Amino acid sequence: MEKHPENNEEYKGLKVNKGIAQPEIVSPYLRNKRVQRRELSVNDYVEGIVKGNVSMLSRAVTLVESINPDHQSIAQEVLEKCLPYSGKSVRIGISGVPGAGKSTSIDSFGMHVLEKGGKLAVLAIDPSSERSKGSILGDKTRMEALSAHPRSFIRPSPSAGSLGGVARKTRESIILCEAAGYDKVFVETVGVGQSETAVHSMVDFFLLIQLAGTGDELQGIKRGIMEMADAIVINKADGDNIDKANLAATQFRNALHLFPAPESGWTPRVLTYSGFYNLGVKEIWDMVDEYMDFVKDNGYFDHHRNQQSKYWMYESIDETLKSSFYNNSYIKEILTQYEDSVLQGNVTSFVAAKKLLDTYFNEIKK
Ligand code: GDP
């Protein structure tokens, strides 16, 4: 068969015409638009956020999450200017193992708190999971009612990275959300360990979701996580599961007695509910309101927030030093050589670390 029949003049079949080059964009309108998108000033962001403009808020959160140093420096300026407008929300940490019903519950809790008005932001800290790869859609389908609510703002966890880094970004996003008028903030985390400490360091109330029915409810929950909880709520207390949930509640209550009294002076409570069937949700939020009144009266609320600010100052120093070290171009070049030497036993870890750090400090002096 002929190799290129279309070149034959007799050919009647489909032809492939030679293409033309992509013309340059000539519309001045489009050009301007592009430039504008890239060059929002710090004030543009701040003004937009303070007016409650959701797309501006989203873009600012994206800046906070960016690893690009230029974005980070704009983000820091935006944060600084938003700070005076922040701090006025109630921040709630919500934790529970996968399957405990966090999304279902946050959907119900969120719809409940929004009934009274105001605006709710839902953020997350999840440095490990697949979900943290930034799929907003994933989170929106997880919280169906809430994501369609005009006064809610749902943002998935910043993408995977060190826990400290991910947590700092979430903490900074809280500031932006508050400046945008969100007076309730939920911070969700997977209840498996260290991320709880990070969440605890940025919220006013820490809610731990548990399940009943495994027979040994208290197993597998780290003592530290239970100690942080201002309330333990047992989900899926519906249908055949009600008795088991009540039994689990008793076991948790007994266990909580063994812990030292929290600094807040509040006695942590244990309640049962069903996020799916919306049972007992009101009682949980009445309790949260009661807690807020309690700690505002006794001064713990402000004390705790101050402590948190101090914690974040040190976290921020740690994070900045670390990233400055690892991003230093000279260190990047020599790091693997040292790593190899340590692996081969040519040099001890401590000597390698010291040499690298000395090199780094000399480099930044230049
Ligand atoms: P997450 O992984 O903690 O976010 O948990 P999900 O909210 O995705 O819930 C896990 C599963 O438990 C889903 O199949 C839910 O439908 C179910 N579930 C959540 N809350 C309840 C509840 O209150 N009662 C019952 N029976 N099932 C629930």
Side-chain angles (χ1 to χ4, degrees):
M1 199 180 130
E2 209 179 333
K3 207 169 176 196
H4 285 289
E6 71 275 16
N7 293 336
N8 187 327
E9 285 194 357
E10 308 269 287
Y11 179 70
K12 294 274 190 297
L14 282 174
K15 282 189 197 169
V16 178
N17 289 326
K18 191 165 179 282
I20 56 160
Q22 176 75 23
E24 229 191 295
I25 293 172
V26 284
S27 158
Y29 170 70
L30 278 179
R31 254 202 205 138
N32 283 345
K33 212 169 167 191
R34 284 198 164 182
V35 172
Q36 265 180 16
R37 203 170 158 85
R38 238 177 273 133
E39 291 181 358
L40 274 179
S41 71
V42 169
N43 283 339
D44 293 336
Y45 279 112
V46 178
E47 269 172 35
I49 291 170
V50 173
K51 277 190 198 140
N53 179 328
V54 175
S55 82
M56 207 59 99
L57 172 64
S58 293
R59 287 178 65 180
V61 171
T62 306
L63 278 186
V64 160
E65 291 175 355
S66 169
I67 48 166
N68 175 328
D70 291 343
H71 293 168
Q72 280 180 2
S73 77
I74 303 176
Q76 288 311 315
E77 282 184 61
V78 172
L79 278 165
E80 207 174 306
K81 296 206 163 152
C82 281
L83 213 50
Y85 301 97
S86 74
K88 295 181 196 86
S89 79
V90 171
R91 306 167 183 166
I92 314 281
I94 299 177
S95 180
V97 292
K102 289 182 296 303
S103 350
T104 315
S105 304
I106 290 174
D107 213 25
S108 305
F109 294 164
M111 294 305 283
H112 176 79
V113 297
L114 284 174
E115 267 173 27
K116 293 183 203 152
K119 299 205 288 181
L120 168 69
V122 180
L123 307 171
I125 295 185
D126 186 358
S128 58
S129 105
E130 284 298 304
R131 270 211 341 258
S132 57
K133 291 196 180 125
S135 131
I136 296 177
L137 199 66
D139 275 46
K140 293 228 153 149
T141 48
R142 289 170 62 232
M143 297 160 199
E144 235 170 284
L146 201 55
S147 59
H149 197 291
R151 285 180 280 119
S152 80
F153 176 78
I154 301 179
R155 185 86 185 189
S157 174
S159 45
S162 74
L163 173 63
V166 171
R168 179 182 54 78
K169 290 170 188 173
T170 304
R171 152 105 180 163
E172 292 177 346
S173 302
I174 294 181
I175 293 170
L176 299 178
C177 290
E178 289 178 346
Y182 290 82
D183 57 344
K184 300 160 190 68
V185 179
F186 290 176
V187 185
E188 177 194 351
T189 186
V190 181
V192 285
Q194 284 176 320
S195 31
E196 279 64 38
T197 318
V199 174
H200 190 240
S201 63
M202 63 180 87
V203 298
D204 307 311
F205 189 94
F206 188 78
L207 193 65
L208 180 61
I209 299 181
Q210 288 293 324
L211 289 180
T214 49
D216 44 8
E217 279 71 27
L218 299 179
Q219 280 192 6
I221 307 169
K222 298 205 174 69
R223 190 193 149 101
I225 297 183
M226 265 183 79
E227 248 176 305
M228 277 188 287
D230 297 300
I232 293 177
V233 289
I234 297 163
N235 190 19
K236 309 195 188 180
D238 46 52
D240 295 345
N241 211 23
I242 295 183
D243 288 343
K244 280 189 212 155
N246 286 334
L247 182 66
T250 311
Q251 291 177 335
F252 277 112
R253 277 186 202 112
N254 291 339
L256 281 177
H257 280 311
L258 305 175
F259 292 157
E263 205 191 338
S264 59
W266 169 260
T267 311
R269 304 218 182 134
V270 181
L271 297 176
T272 61
Y273 78 108
S274 165
F276 189 82
Y277 294 101
N278 225 329
L279 306 167
V281 170
K282 179 180 180 299
E283 286 72 9
I284 294 177
W285 292 94
D286 288 349
M287 169 187 62
V288 173
D289 290 342
E290 197 188 319
Y291 172 89
M292 290 301 159
D293 289 342
F294 180 78
V295 291
K296 280 184 178 164
D297 273 354
N298 75 4
Y300 179 76
F301 183 88
D302 289 330
H303 167 76
H304 189 214
R305 285 223 171 159
N306 287 340
Q307 291 298 316
Q308 290 176 330
S309 300
K310 191 172 103 183
Y311 171 89
W312 284 100
M313 183 186 88
Y314 286 107
E315 277 294 300
S316 180
I317 292 173
D318 290 355
E319 191 63 29
T320 311
L321 281 176
K322 235 164 128 177
S323 98
S324 163
F325 175 81
Y326 287 110
N327 286 316
N328 182 288
S329 52
Y330 190 62
I331 294 296
K332 271 186 185 167
E333 267 174 40
I334 59 171
L335 194 61
T336 45
Q337 294 165 23
Y338 276 92
E339 194 184 300
D340 288 343
S341 307
V342 170
L343 286 174
Q344 283 159 18
N346 297 338
V347 61
T348 70
S349 335
F350 306 103
V351 171
K354 184 172 182 326
K355 283 196 174 156
L356 280 162
L357 284 168
D358 287 346
T359 314
Y360 168 73
F361 289 122
N362 284 331
E363 273 296 299
I364 55 170
K365 262 192 233 146
K366 281 184 193 163

